[in-house]
Amino acid sequence: MTPTPPYEAPTSDSVLLSFDGRVLEVFGYVDAARYHIWEEPRIEFGSGRFRRLTIAVRSPGRRHTMPYDEHRLPGLRALADVLARSVAERRQP
């Protein structure tokens, strides 16, 4: 069982990711976005000169990419781990 929600991690001074155990929400980047756990959202981290993360879901074509501040990466990785565990727990019978 994952720890008690909500889990929050800022990507920058103006963008926040929040996961309550059922819905991953993005606040402050253009508009709010919601990804329900049944969509099997995952956070992927890109490498290279520009630090970007992508929220992808099971359905092809639905992706949300945004920059993140390097010093925020540990918190973002922790949130990604909680999200991945929650998706895996949902898949179990």
Side-chain angles (χ1 to χ4, degrees):
M1 190 71 168
T2 56
T4 306
Y7 310 98
E8 295 182 339
T11 63
S12 66
D13 288 340
S14 60
V15 178
L16 177 70
L17 302 183
S18 178
F19 179 59
D20 68 359
R22 297 178 302 134
V23 179
L24 174 65
E25 295 179 286
V26 181
F27 297 103
Y29 191 72
V30 180
D31 200 358
R34 295 171 56 92
Y35 301 91
H36 296 267
I37 195 79
W38 57 264
E39 295 177 281
E40 298 181 7
R42 64 190 180 280
I43 299 174
E44 303 167 344
F45 297 92
S47 59
R49 207 170 82 193
F50 301 104
R51 294 171 305 279
R52 300 186 80 66
L53 67 81
T54 300
I55 300 170
V57 296
R58 181 180 40 177
S59 305
R62 185 156 183 232
R63 303 174 78 74
H64 195 137
T65 301
M66 68 194 73
Y68 65 87
D69 295 335
E70 185 175 8
H71 69 279
R72 300 181 191 274
L73 185 57
L76 292 166
R77 286 203 186 277
L79 177 66
D81 290 344
V82 168
L83 179 63
R85 285 194 308 270
S86 295
V87 168
E89 286 175 4
R90 185 184 176 283
R91 287 184 194 150
Q92 294 176 356

